[in-house]
């Protein structure tokens, strides 16, 4: 992002959950420390890029990782659902790491996904890793879904209108500390659009200083950095490259 981009004043406030409440294109949202986005007025919880069964995908190619990513990701998602009781749960694309991931789910994890759809609408937004709808799981599928002034899609794009909310890029921020620096997942927003952090346990991250973010924001963005129990607003000038 060019330093010449104008800075936008952001209106935000701490939320009792440790999240950051802010105005996004005229809609009230809360960036939660989990990486979920809460649209309280609509009863909608949005999470992006679960990448379920990434561990088993790597194992099939000979790179052995502990096979616990799906269970841990679902545990965190279940905690968010229990805390918020959303009317709608939106999985914002790349919910599965590859086309065969659904078939590799354990029976227990399949039942957990089915339980998440019980009593609410579950929406699977198509991603680049999982363009096809789940074959044997509850929920609706869509390329995009809208709530109020927000349109939820998987991939961000240059020139997107206000209210565009996406995932896909797995944004992370590096922030200078006293003796070193820390790198954490983050939301990134110019106040009109937003890119969500990856929610999956094994999902990597792309530094928000990477040039790929430049055309996606009109103004120098705010990073909402995920801490253990709080989401921290960090201005562009305080962010560092890798």
């Amino acid at each position: 992002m060019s330093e010449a981009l104008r800075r936008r004043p952001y209106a935000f406030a701490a939320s009792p959950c440790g999240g950051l409440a802010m105005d996004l294109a005229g809609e009230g949202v809360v960036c939660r420390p989990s990486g979920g986005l809460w649209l309280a007025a609509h009863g909608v919880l949005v999470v992006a890029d679960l990448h379920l069964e990434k561990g088993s995908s790597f194992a099939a190619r000979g790179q052995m990782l502990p096979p616990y990513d799906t269970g841990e990701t679902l545990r965190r998602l279940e905690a968010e659902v229990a805390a918020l009781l959303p009317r709608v749960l939106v999985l914002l694309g790349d919910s599965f790491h590859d086309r065969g991931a659904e078939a590799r789910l354990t029976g227990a994890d399949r039942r957990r996904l089915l339980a998440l759809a019980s009593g609410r609408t579950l929406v699977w937004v198509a991603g680049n890793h999982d363009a096809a709808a789940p074959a044997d799981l509850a929920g609706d599928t869509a390329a995009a879904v809208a709530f109020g002034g927000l349109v939820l899609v998987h991939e961000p794009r240059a020139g997107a209108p206000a209210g565009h909310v996406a995932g896909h890029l797995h944004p992370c921020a590096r922030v200078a500390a006293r003796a070193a620096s820390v790198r954490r997942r983050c939301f990134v927003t110019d106040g009109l659009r937003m890119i969500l952090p990856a929610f999956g346990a094994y999902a990597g991250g792309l530094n928000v200083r990477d040039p790929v973010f430049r055309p996606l924001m009109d103004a120098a963005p705010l990073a909402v950095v995920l801490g253990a129990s709080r989401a921290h607003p960090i201005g562009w000038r305080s962010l560092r490259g890798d």
Side-chain angles (χ1 to χ4, degrees):
M1 198 74 59
S2 170
E3 296 289 358
L5 279 176
R6 61 190 176 87
R7 286 187 290 170
R8 181 188 301 279
Y10 295 96
F12 54 80
S15 172
C17 69
L20 194 74
M22 64 182 300
D23 179 276
L24 179 65
E27 293 281 344
V29 303
V30 177
C31 301
R32 290 179 58 85
S34 67
L37 186 69
W38 176 232
L39 316 181
H42 304 284
V44 176
L45 173 63
V46 189
V47 294
D49 297 283
L50 303 182
H51 284 271
L52 299 174
E53 293 302 309
K54 182 174 182 178
S56 63
S57 177
F58 274 52
R61 300 196 302 272
Q63 185 173 346
M64 304 308 293
L65 294 174
Y68 307 125
D69 56 309
T70 294
E72 173 59 16
T73 299
L74 292 179
R75 182 195 66 78
R76 293 173 50 246
L77 183 54
E78 288 164 343
E80 285 293 274
V81 168
L84 297 169
L85 300 177
R87 180 179 61 83
V88 182
L89 174 59
V90 178
L91 307 181
L92 203 56
D94 286 2
S95 301
F96 291 104
H97 188 66
D98 58 46
R99 292 182 179 179
E102 183 185 350
R104 297 196 304 273
L105 286 170
T106 66
D109 287 338
R110 183 179 302 275
R111 289 189 292 273
R112 294 168 79 182
L113 281 165
L114 291 170
L116 285 169
S118 179
R120 65 185 51 85
T121 299
L122 175 62
V123 181
W124 303 83
V125 172
N128 57 295
H129 281 249
D130 55 359
D136 192 31
L137 291 169
D140 302 327
T141 59
V145 61
F147 297 95
L150 303 180
V151 177
L152 314 180
V153 299
H154 177 62
E155 293 194 40
R157 61 179 176 83
H164 203 254
V165 177
H168 183 58
L169 292 179
H170 304 196
C172 284
R174 184 174 293 281
V175 183
R178 289 183 180 179
S181 64
V182 295
R183 193 177 193 274
R184 297 286 187 270
R185 301 184 192 198
C186 69
F187 298 82
V188 59
T189 180
D190 63 359
L192 297 176
R193 303 158 196 84
M194 180 175 281
I195 302 172
L196 272 59
F199 197 86
Y202 280 177
L206 181 65
N207 191 297
V208 295
R209 285 272 181 176
D210 189 278
V212 74
F213 289 95
R214 289 177 183 167
L216 304 177
M217 302 284 162
D218 284 350
L222 179 76
V224 182
V225 180
L226 308 185
S229 59
R230 281 187 57 200
H232 305 269
I234 307 292
W236 181 251
R237 293 175 181 265
S238 298
L239 302 173
R240 302 289 179 263
D242 289 335

